Amino acid sequence: MAIANLGLAAILAPEFGALGVAISICVSYIARTIGLDYIFWRKLDIDIFTFFRKSYAKLTPFLMFFVAISCALNLIQIQSWSFWVIKIFISIICYFLGLYLFAFNQSEKDL
């Protein structure tokens, strides 16, 4: 992956600058993920498609909750560093609350 990333960055960076490097990183990670998924599916006989379907179906309500909270927090105008810190703490609390409510299974909640 690193060799592909460096090769793509060398090609794209002169033309696009930092955006070209970011694109090369993204393409390298996507290629790695597809390659690993293929190995999991074909060689290790892991049903990767069912895994992704179950994982993302379970996380969809959490993502919707967190996006809604984030949009609401972006409406709050920040006037000082203290308000900014408070806004971050509210975001963190909402993130973990959303994970607990929507993403954790019962055994994780019992810990």
Side-chain angles (χ1 to χ4, degrees):
M1 182 181 89
I3 294 171
N5 187 11
L6 288 173
L8 281 171
I11 294 169
L12 295 174
E15 181 72 27
F16 300 105
L19 180 62
V21 175
I23 290 171
S24 72
I25 292 169
C26 182
V27 168
S28 297
Y29 273 100
I30 289 172
R32 183 207 58 179
T33 301
I34 290 171
L36 285 175
D37 288 347
Y38 179 78
I39 291 170
F40 293 152
W41 179 50
R42 286 288 192 188
K43 306 291 184 191
L44 300 176
D45 199 31
I46 296 173
D47 190 3
I48 199 74
F49 301 112
T50 302
F51 168 75
F52 281 129
R53 198 174 314 118
K54 286 181 180 179
S55 297
Y56 289 119
K58 188 175 183 179
L59 288 177
T60 301
F62 162 70
L63 292 173
M64 291 171 43
F65 170 78
F66 192 67
V67 166
I69 294 295
S70 298
C71 289
L73 286 174
N74 280 334
L75 296 175
I76 299 172
Q77 297 296 320
I78 299 174
Q79 291 135 4
S80 68
W81 281 100
S82 59
F83 284 123
W84 185 74
V85 170
I86 291 169
K87 189 175 172 181
I88 289 175
F89 280 124
I90 291 171
S91 296
I92 292 170
I93 290 169
C94 290
Y95 179 81
F96 285 112
L97 178 66
L99 276 179
Y100 183 81
L101 293 175
F102 299 113
F104 285 8
N105 61 27
Q106 193 58 43
S107 64
E108 292 168 333
K109 289 179 181 179
D110 290 339
L111 289 176

